[in-house]
Amino acid sequence: MKKLLLLSISALFILACHSGSKEVTTTQVKLQSVTLGLMPTMDGFPFIVAHRQGIYDSLGLEVNLVRFNSANDRDAALQAGRIDGMITDYPSAVLLQLHHPGLAVIMENNGYFCFISSKKSGVNQPEQLKKKSIAISRGTVIEYATDLFCTKSGIKTEEINKPEIAQIPLRLNMLEYGQIEASFLPDPFATIAMNDGNISLISTRELNIHLTGTAFTEAALQEKKAEIISLIQGYNLGVKYIQTHSSQEVSTLLAEEFRISENLARLILLPSYTPASRPNIQEINNTLKWLKEKNRIPAHYQGENLIDTTFTVPYKIPSYPPNTSQ
């Protein structure tokens, strides 16, 4: 009788152990939250769409989007540990990584910038920019693109004034009031400026430079790999949403996010969004060359580990529709 009782208890114990083991293997691991810094540009729009349309909720990922109006404020937040990652540009990423070696860019973004001349400046051609004030954000894609445009236009750096105006809304206001003659602006600010009669002379698409990407801290890359994978998955679904929904639906989201009218939102020429891919190494090399020429980084610095290829597919050369900017 005792043997039978012991066998029964043993059988129940084994069954309970198997049941417990099954429950453990089927329990889904809860993802940590991810905090991503955004600039008021079109680069982050797929992230915004995924956030607003509940895509990240369906993936079980809590995403906190933090908005910044200047690269300086964004970079300071990253260094202070207030954000896990950010949409940045390659010059900014290199300068940060130089002092914070763990930072890495995981994917390219698809935004672009328009070179806008103030309607009060009288500048309609590149050669008229000599001795004019062209606002920049120092050590960013804005300064890089300005230097490249001036070089291609036969203008030496010393022939123009380059006041630093890091805050994008302030840069637009100063351009509108004629306090600066020109500057590179992202959308929606570029479209706002053009809709008010200011002129776009060129964009970074025509200059064939693609220098924006998403970067993360070393801590986030080590501790939040699954979360970053889900973040990119949501980004790709955001791209798909933009590509498969009506322009009216997309314009409504733009208007809500940037607090502009839907009429103005419909004027914005969206980038040709593609699924997440790795940064173009040639663009990184061009960035390093430019920064060395300006003595911003040591000659021996090669950007080691600046790109993390863990999360994305190889870079593909983007193709754009004909320029139909105003």
Side-chain angles (χ1 to χ4, degrees):
M1 186 70 179
K2 282 184 178 180
K3 282 186 177 180
L4 183 60
L5 183 60
L6 286 171
L7 286 171
S8 299
I9 291 171
S10 298
L12 287 170
F13 180 76
I14 292 168
L15 182 62
C17 286
H18 279 288
S19 298
S21 175
K22 185 177 181 182
E23 185 177 346
V24 170
T25 56
T26 56
T27 300
Q28 186 175 4
V29 177
K30 181 175 173 59
L31 295 173
Q32 302 176 73
S33 64
V34 174
T35 303
L36 185 69
L38 300 180
M39 297 289 284
T41 70
M42 294 295 108
D43 297 272
F45 190 49
F47 287 124
I48 292 165
V49 169
H51 188 261
R52 283 181 170 269
Q53 297 306 110
I55 292 172
Y56 284 125
D57 291 337
S58 68
L59 295 173
L61 179 66
E62 179 185 348
V63 177
N64 303 307
L65 301 179
V66 183
R67 277 77 170 175
F68 299 96
N69 283 325
S70 79
N72 293 340
D73 292 343
R74 175 203 63 203
D75 294 352
L78 186 90
Q79 293 175 78
R82 293 198 291 115
I83 55 178
D84 296 310
M86 60 184 181
I87 291 184
T88 184
D89 56 78
Y90 299 160
S92 294
V94 168
L95 292 170
L96 264 180
Q97 201 238 25
L98 185 63
H99 303 290
H100 300 81
L103 180 81
V105 182
I106 65 165
M107 59 176 278
E108 183 183 80
N109 292 111
N110 301 129
Y112 65 94
F113 302 81
C114 295
F115 188 84
I116 309 294
S117 68
S118 171
K119 60 186 177 185
K120 296 185 178 183
S121 69
V123 174
N124 300 308
Q125 300 295 329
E127 55 268 22
Q128 296 173 313
L129 290 168
K130 289 183 180 181
K131 298 184 179 180
K132 302 295 184 182
S133 292
I134 304 174
I136 63 164
S137 176
R138 180 180 166 84
T140 71
V141 61
I142 302 302
E143 185 182 14
Y144 180 106
T146 299
D147 283 3
L148 181 61
F149 180 42
C150 287
T151 299
K152 286 182 175 291
S153 301
I155 300 172
K156 298 177 182 178
T157 303
E158 57 268 25
E159 292 180 309
I160 59 170
N161 300 314
K162 294 198 297 184
E164 180 171 11
I165 305 170
Q167 295 282 337
I168 299 174
L170 178 59
R171 211 184 306 153
L172 172 62
N173 287 339
M174 292 183 71
L175 185 129
E176 291 273 29
Y177 286 103
Q179 295 171 315
I180 56 173
E181 274 79 27
S183 184
F184 272 100
L185 290 172
D187 267 325
F189 298 93
T191 295
I192 292 171
M194 289 186 284
N195 193 53
D196 198 32
N198 302 289
I199 302 169
S200 176
L201 297 185
I202 201 168
S203 80
T204 52
R205 300 201 301 182
E206 283 82 61
L207 288 171
N208 196 31
I209 55 176
H210 317 283
L211 297 183
T212 57
T214 301
F216 279 88
T217 63
E218 182 177 22
L221 291 169
Q222 290 180 352
E223 300 167 12
K224 297 186 175 183
K225 287 186 177 180
E227 288 78 4
I228 294 173
I229 289 170
S230 292
L231 183 79
I232 293 174
Q233 185 181 357
Y235 176 92
N236 291 339
L237 291 171
V239 169
K240 186 175 181 180
Y241 181 99
I242 294 167
Q243 293 172 340
T244 57
H245 284 70
S246 70
S247 58
Q248 177 59 53
E249 290 173 283
V250 174
S251 295
T252 298
L253 287 173
L254 282 171
E256 291 173 354
E257 170 63 22
F258 294 104
R259 299 180 182 181
I260 57 178
S261 70
E262 288 205 24
N263 286 338
L264 189 61
R266 281 192 286 270
L267 295 177
I268 294 174
L269 180 63
L270 287 177
S272 300
Y273 292 115
T274 59
S277 63
R278 297 171 191 166
N280 182 350
I281 189 63
Q282 186 58 52
E283 298 281 17
I284 298 291
N285 290 336
N286 291 342
T287 297
L288 294 175
K289 181 175 180 291
W290 176 74
L291 287 169
K292 288 175 183 178
E293 288 172 352
K294 301 186 81 64
N295 296 315
R296 305 277 178 84
I297 60 174
H300 62 80
Y301 176 78
Q302 298 299 322
E304 294 86 351
N305 303 316
L306 182 64
I307 299 176
D308 187 324
T309 61
T310 305
F311 303 95
T312 49
V313 299
Y315 172 84
K316 293 182 180 179
I317 298 174
S319 59
Y320 300 114
N323 181 21
T324 57
S325 59
Q326 300 174 32

